[in-house]
Amino acid sequence: MDEYLCNWDQAAIKFTVIAATIAFIVPLLTMLYNHWKKTNKKDSAKYKINLCISCIPMLVFILCFSVPLKVTVCDNGVYVKQPAGSVEINMEKICEVRSLTQKDIENSERIATSGGLFGYNGDYQNQNLGNYRMIAASLDNLILIRTNDESYVISCSDADQCVASIKNKIEITGK
């Protein structure tokens, strides 16, 4: 079993800190303002807007469970560990694995993604790569893993070593 940490890049750190700070400060300031102005009528439009704004920190909190922590390569699969479980990629289904650069994903379109908030997690589309699911804390040290069903782009501390480890495990299992 080989393990590789998922190190955050500076852009993801900055975006996460700024967005999380705003997500927690704006509702707090809104609640303080409403308390000061005494606008607590439950049937008012302001109350409904303030209720929606107060849900923002909850959404940010939920997103923090999607950040990749480490990549583990075992005989039976590749696991991307996240705070709320892992993404499992079955070794028997892997048909391609290789390193990528930022240039390989630069023209990707976001379909449903966080795009930097707690990493780069979600679904993307690219003319060369097709549709893929990205689970990355950084846009450096990227790895493409294609299975029969899906394509994944992940990041870890040592992409070349991780690719070699996956290829070695595939050879051992006789693929």
Side-chain angles (χ1 to χ4, degrees), residues 73 91 97-98 162-172:
V73 180
M91 197 65 76
V97 60
R98 64 181 167 98
C162 186
V163 167
S165 178
I166 295 169
K167 286 181 177 180
N168 184 41
K169 300 284 186 196
I170 291 172
E171 287 176 13
I172 290 172

Side-chain angles (χ1 to χ4, degrees), residues 18 40 62 64 79 89-91 99 130 148 161:
I18 290 169
N40 288 332
I62 290 168
C64 80
Y79 300 88
I89 305 169
N90 189 327
M91 197 65 76
S99 296
N148 302 332
Q161 182 62 36

Side-chain angles (χ1 to χ4, degrees), residues 2-167:
D2 301 321
E3 292 186 344
Y4 306 92
L5 294 177
C6 296
N7 301 325
W8 287 38
D9 64 14
Q10 292 297 315
I13 291 170
K14 288 176 185 174
F15 184 70
T16 300
V17 168
I18 290 169
T21 302
I22 290 170
F24 284 97
I25 288 177
V26 168
L28 178 66
L29 292 176
T30 302
M31 287 186 290
L32 289 173
Y33 174 79
N34 289 330
H35 180 70
W36 180 63
K37 286 292 215 174
K38 307 262 190 239
T39 56
N40 288 332
K41 296 178 183 173
K42 290 190 178 187
D43 57 345
S44 72
K46 282 185 182 180
Y47 177 80
K48 292 174 185 169
I49 291 170
N50 293 333
L51 187 62
C52 291
I53 290 173
S54 66
C55 291
I56 293 172
M58 235 183 315
L59 295 173
V60 171
F61 181 72
I62 290 168
L63 274 176
C64 80
F65 289 105
S66 68
V67 64
L69 302 173
K70 67 180 176 180
V71 175
T72 304
V73 180
C74 299
D75 290 338
N76 60 341
V78 178
Y79 300 88
V80 182
K81 178 71 175 135
Q82 297 170 305
S86 351
V87 175
E88 179 183 346
I89 305 169
N90 189 327
M91 197 65 76
E92 293 177 358
K93 291 185 177 184
I94 295 176
C95 52
E96 179 186 2
V97 60
R98 64 181 167 98
S99 296
L100 293 177
T101 64
Q102 285 187 23
K103 189 171 179 109
D104 294 321
I105 62 166
E106 72 182 1
N107 292 322
S108 295
E109 295 178 27
R110 295 184 207 176
I111 297 172
T113 178
S114 67
L117 184 61
F118 293 104
Y120 306 91
N121 305 301
D123 297 324
Y124 291 80
Q125 185 176 23
N126 179 296
Q127 185 175 4
N128 297 324
L129 299 174
N131 292 337
Y132 63 92
R133 180 176 178 194
M134 184 179 282
I135 312 161
S138 170
L139 294 178
D140 298 320
N141 298 313
L142 297 170
I143 301 168
L144 171 68
I145 302 175
R146 285 194 201 276
T147 66
N148 302 332
D149 308 319
E150 207 169 344
S151 295
Y152 301 88
V153 174
I154 63 173
S155 71
C156 66
S157 56
D158 190 348
D160 293 332
Q161 182 62 36
C162 186
V163 167
S165 178
I166 295 169
K167 286 181 177 180

